[in-house]
Amino acid sequence: MKKRKFSNLKLVAASQVLLLLAAAPCPVTYKNSSDTFSISDVETVRMGYDSELLRSLAEELPLEQGFTIVFHGRRPNLDLVANSVEEAQNWIRGLQLLVELVTSMDQQERLDQAGWLSDWFQRGDKNQDGRMSFAEVQRLLHLMNVEMDQDYALQLFKAADVSQSETLEGEEFVQFYKALTKRKEVQELFENFSSDGQKLTLLEFVDFLREEQKEQDCALDLALKFIDRYEPSDSGKRRHVLSMDGFLSYLCSKDGNIFNPACLPIYQDMTQPMNHYFINSSHNTYLLGDQLRGQSSVEGYIRALKRGCRCVEVDIWDGPTGEPLVYHGHTLTSRILFKDVVTTVAQYAFQTTDYPVIMSLENHCSWDQQRTVAQHLTEILGELLLNTALDDVPLNQLPSPERLRGKILIKGKKLTTNEEEEDEEEEDLHSELERRQGTELEPDPYSEIETHSVPAPELQLQVKDKMKKAKAILCPALSSLVIYLKSVSFKSFTHSTQHYYYGIASFSENKAKHLIKEAGNDFVHHNTSQLSRIYPGGLRTDSSNFNPQEFWNVGCQMVALNMQTAGLGMDICDGFFRQNGSCGYVLKPKFLRDPQSSFHPERPIQPFRTKILLIQVISGQQLPKVGNTKERSIVDPLVKVELFGIREDTTRQETNYVENNGFNPYWGETLCFHVRVPELAVLRFVVKDYDWRSRNDFIGQFTLPLSCMQQGYRHIHLLSRDGISLQPASIFVYTCIRDDLQEEDS
């Protein structure tokens, strides 16, 4: 056995299975490693033959003894090998059962679980005697990220210590925790609408829903439904009243969430031509890291497709054995088989949604291997592949997402006139020059995204050498698989209108920015009939991202991002595509679908009317420590609210920081925004740990389209940098949108 092959392979003992199954709330430590994970970190468990690493070792170990733990977010998978097939099956069944159990629990259920409280108790019980002294309680408060007045903490401790043993045990600790987590700001809100301070009658709850939550037309029906859903007592349900516990449960639920539940399922018209939608798109989908030395893996496609991405990129090159390979050309990235990529796309394309998937082919193969590419696409995808035009769709119109459900489309070059082929090659060389020679990326004053513009020595290629190489002839078998998504060269907006019924042109971020400034309205018109794909500039060798909003503002459909890279760009993308069933297709506003539209994102005019957005940031709950390090460290949280839209709307404001309190900080600050084009606006809430010595540390965020925001008193459940839920961490806000009366008066 070659030891070096196992450098990334974790070997575990059967005893760890018992540990995991017996103590699910507790972190599990890998053998001989400081890394830990809990069941809530795990997304799923896969069989060994689904792992690239384990398959590469198939000659040296039975695949049936291996399995893979897949984590939420961008955390690398963990490949494991058991001592026997039976042991591996026990692992898989046990882990998957626990994953399903945790997944089925909503936030309030998690807070109520004895195991969750038991976990806190164990962490606070330093000497592990089953009882907690006041000194241990003080230590627990620091673990919970709160600095509390010692006298007040002692008061809560004594009130909970009904046995007067000067320690907390079992139910006493539960009562202490309830006192600790009492929400004064919610209690005050409850009492403002309750006549007796004990309950909300049906009419009082209706008043609250109408006046504060802006539920005007259906407040009575909603009140009855929410009482039945969130009131814990049967007598309260029968009398149609809501207790304080029920009121808090409602506010913490999906119905009290800032994201409107009505926008979560498919709610938009899906029968319009494909070019009328924003399409969730990925750049260099095969990469898990940077574009110089990053790992190529089918896992990139799995992750992208499972998060709702509908356009994946495949860079295809000749392989030495006749099998085409996928990797980032002229770099040190690893290589994977094209046929493995196609198999993966076929398997995962429609697990999240059945709306169409686009495979964007960047073809660098010779004639023979192009023929192999076409063969793999045809044989592996089978009936999933759209290989003929649809009879019931006009020739001058793209089909709708609804009409293409369950289909995979190929985007690529298609055989046509020699003149047009030469034009495409010229465009390719222009893009190559921009990527390789280093056009400066324009700084975005509204973005926190860092751009690293120093290319590595490996990318200093001579473009002249490429120009001397004979262009490979496109194979007819591959060309014939490109039905609706023919890649075309862009000369001008006029040229596209005159020469193409529809086509898809690719623009670097710099070229697209230039066109927006110089001819924004023409770009809008172009995207009402054509498809546009925007890709990151070639100098982003670290796979960083731009802000996609600027390109959505002119109706560009496929704004491709490096999905393996967390940060602002992906937060906006994930937040925006969370709507409409996370199906990867979002209908563009009417003014971006109208061929006669006068809209220009740099100079918006009537009929747009400015709205006033008021956001009162009230409080926070159980905000985690940054990096979960330094036991005695307490965060100093602040909330930054960022608005992205047209340039005139893009801005940010933030609260003051609360010193030494991440457990239940209170801000009570109101922020005001003027929004000229609310249909394009995206809101991002970011919680940070104030640090006067350096840049504030990121704690959590949540991003959503303004059109999907619920008004009133709402909770915002925070996500990590990788998009993983940080439950129970949240912030409590009040939101309101109204017309700008000053603008109307003028």
Side-chain angles (χ1 to χ4, degrees), residues 23 36 204 384 394 459 585 611 618 629 658:
T36 63
E204 289 170 343
L384 297 177
L459 289 185
Y585 289 84
K611 299 287 186 181
I618 301 172
T629 58
V658 174

PDB file of all heavy atoms in Angstrom, residues 23 36 204 384 394 459 585 611 618 629 658:
ATOM      1  N   ALA A  23     -23.795  10.559  21.705  1.00  0.00           N
ATOM      2  CA  ALA A  23     -23.667  11.956  22.148  1.00  0.00           C
ATOM      3  C   ALA A  23     -23.732  12.889  20.959  1.00  0.00           C
ATOM      4  O   ALA A  23     -22.811  13.625  20.679  1.00  0.00           O
ATOM      5  CB  ALA A  23     -22.360  12.151  22.911  1.00  0.00           C
ATOM      6  N   THR A  36     -12.985  19.212  14.903  1.00  0.00           N
ATOM      7  CA  THR A  36     -14.182  18.617  15.471  1.00  0.00           C
ATOM      8  C   THR A  36     -15.375  18.927  14.578  1.00  0.00           C
ATOM      9  O   THR A  36     -15.348  19.862  13.786  1.00  0.00           O
ATOM     10  CB  THR A  36     -14.472  19.150  16.886  1.00  0.00           C
ATOM     11  OG1 THR A  36     -14.719  20.561  16.800  1.00  0.00           O
ATOM     12  CG2 THR A  36     -13.319  18.888  17.823  1.00  0.00           C
ATOM     13  N   GLU A 204     -56.878  41.696  19.655  1.00  0.00           N
ATOM     14  CA  GLU A 204     -55.609  42.390  19.938  1.00  0.00           C
ATOM     15  C   GLU A 204     -54.505  41.892  19.011  1.00  0.00           C
ATOM     16  O   GLU A 204     -53.682  42.688  18.518  1.00  0.00           O
ATOM     17  CB  GLU A 204     -55.219  42.178  21.401  1.00  0.00           C
ATOM     18  CG  GLU A 204     -56.105  42.937  22.376  1.00  0.00           C
ATOM     19  CD  GLU A 204     -55.868  42.539  23.826  1.00  0.00           C
ATOM     20  OE1 GLU A 204     -55.256  41.466  24.065  1.00  0.00           O
ATOM     21  OE2 GLU A 204     -56.296  43.290  24.723  1.00  0.00           O
ATOM     22  N   LEU A 384     -32.131  13.277 -20.841  1.00  0.00           N
ATOM     23  CA  LEU A 384     -32.007  14.575 -20.159  1.00  0.00           C
ATOM     24  C   LEU A 384     -31.485  15.657 -21.103  1.00  0.00           C
ATOM     25  O   LEU A 384     -31.737  16.847 -20.896  1.00  0.00           O
ATOM     26  CB  LEU A 384     -31.057  14.460 -18.957  1.00  0.00           C
ATOM     27  CG  LEU A 384     -31.463  13.530 -17.820  1.00  0.00           C
ATOM     28  CD1 LEU A 384     -30.369  13.499 -16.753  1.00  0.00           C
ATOM     29  CD2 LEU A 384     -32.773  13.971 -17.204  1.00  0.00           C
ATOM     30  N   PRO A 394     -41.565  29.260 -31.253  1.00  0.00           N
ATOM     31  CA  PRO A 394     -41.207  30.000 -32.466  1.00  0.00           C
ATOM     32  C   PRO A 394     -39.696  30.035 -32.669  1.00  0.00           C
ATOM     33  O   PRO A 394     -38.920  30.063 -31.707  1.00  0.00           O
ATOM     34  CB  PRO A 394     -41.757  31.408 -32.194  1.00  0.00           C
ATOM     35  CG  PRO A 394     -42.844  31.205 -31.193  1.00  0.00           C
ATOM     36  CD  PRO A 394     -42.413  30.048 -30.343  1.00  0.00           C
ATOM     37  N   LEU A 459       1.095  32.398 -15.395  1.00  0.00           N
ATOM     38  CA  LEU A 459       0.132  32.928 -16.350  1.00  0.00           C
ATOM     39  C   LEU A 459       0.739  33.913 -17.347  1.00  0.00           C
ATOM     40  O   LEU A 459       0.022  34.508 -18.143  1.00  0.00           O
ATOM     41  CB  LEU A 459      -1.017  33.600 -15.594  1.00  0.00           C
ATOM     42  CG  LEU A 459      -1.958  32.651 -14.870  1.00  0.00           C
ATOM     43  CD1 LEU A 459      -3.109  33.427 -14.265  1.00  0.00           C
ATOM     44  CD2 LEU A 459      -2.483  31.598 -15.810  1.00  0.00           C
ATOM     45  N   TYR A 585     -33.894  30.500 -11.274  1.00  0.00           N
ATOM     46  CA  TYR A 585     -34.453  31.418 -12.269  1.00  0.00           C
ATOM     47  C   TYR A 585     -35.311  32.454 -11.555  1.00  0.00           C
ATOM     48  O   TYR A 585     -36.238  32.093 -10.818  1.00  0.00           O
ATOM     49  CB  TYR A 585     -35.301  30.674 -13.305  1.00  0.00           C
ATOM     50  CG  TYR A 585     -34.498  29.826 -14.259  1.00  0.00           C
ATOM     51  CD1 TYR A 585     -34.119  28.529 -13.907  1.00  0.00           C
ATOM     52  CD2 TYR A 585     -34.118  30.317 -15.502  1.00  0.00           C
ATOM     53  CE1 TYR A 585     -33.373  27.738 -14.775  1.00  0.00           C
ATOM     54  CE2 TYR A 585     -33.371  29.534 -16.382  1.00  0.00           C
ATOM     55  CZ  TYR A 585     -32.999  28.251 -16.016  1.00  0.00           C
ATOM     56  OH  TYR A 585     -32.256  27.483 -16.878  1.00  0.00           O
ATOM     57  N   LYS A 611     -38.637  55.394  -2.565  1.00  0.00           N
ATOM     58  CA  LYS A 611     -39.235  54.877  -1.339  1.00  0.00           C
ATOM     59  C   LYS A 611     -38.307  55.178  -0.165  1.00  0.00           C
ATOM     60  O   LYS A 611     -37.082  55.273  -0.325  1.00  0.00           O
ATOM     61  CB  LYS A 611     -39.442  53.365  -1.443  1.00  0.00           C
ATOM     62  CG  LYS A 611     -40.378  52.927  -2.555  1.00  0.00           C
ATOM     63  CD  LYS A 611     -41.823  53.236  -2.227  1.00  0.00           C
ATOM     64  CE  LYS A 611     -42.762  52.658  -3.284  1.00  0.00           C
ATOM     65  NZ  LYS A 611     -44.188  52.966  -2.992  1.00  0.00           N
ATOM     66  N   ILE A 618     -33.076  46.504  16.688  1.00  0.00           N
ATOM     67  CA  ILE A 618     -33.486  46.495  18.090  1.00  0.00           C
ATOM     68  C   ILE A 618     -32.485  45.731  18.951  1.00  0.00           C
ATOM     69  O   ILE A 618     -31.859  46.295  19.848  1.00  0.00           O
ATOM     70  CB  ILE A 618     -34.895  45.895  18.231  1.00  0.00           C
ATOM     71  CG1 ILE A 618     -35.898  46.706  17.399  1.00  0.00           C
ATOM     72  CG2 ILE A 618     -35.316  45.876  19.706  1.00  0.00           C
ATOM     73  CD1 ILE A 618     -37.283  46.077  17.319  1.00  0.00           C
ATOM     74  N   THR A 629     -12.929  31.133  19.676  1.00  0.00           N
ATOM     75  CA  THR A 629     -11.665  31.014  20.384  1.00  0.00           C
ATOM     76  C   THR A 629     -11.646  31.951  21.592  1.00  0.00           C
ATOM     77  O   THR A 629     -12.514  32.804  21.758  1.00  0.00           O
ATOM     78  CB  THR A 629     -10.492  31.371  19.450  1.00  0.00           C
ATOM     79  OG1 THR A 629     -10.673  32.714  18.959  1.00  0.00           O
ATOM     80  CG2 THR A 629     -10.432  30.415  18.272  1.00  0.00           C
ATOM     81  N   VAL A 658     -22.149  47.444  20.840  1.00  0.00           N
ATOM     82  CA  VAL A 658     -22.509  47.175  22.233  1.00  0.00           C
ATOM     83  C   VAL A 658     -21.320  46.480  22.878  1.00  0.00           C
ATOM     84  O   VAL A 658     -20.855  45.450  22.392  1.00  0.00           O
ATOM     85  CB  VAL A 658     -23.766  46.294  22.323  1.00  0.00           C
ATOM     86  CG1 VAL A 658     -24.042  45.908  23.773  1.00  0.00           C
ATOM     87  CG2 VAL A 658     -24.966  47.009  21.723  1.00  0.00           C
TER      88      VAL A 658
END
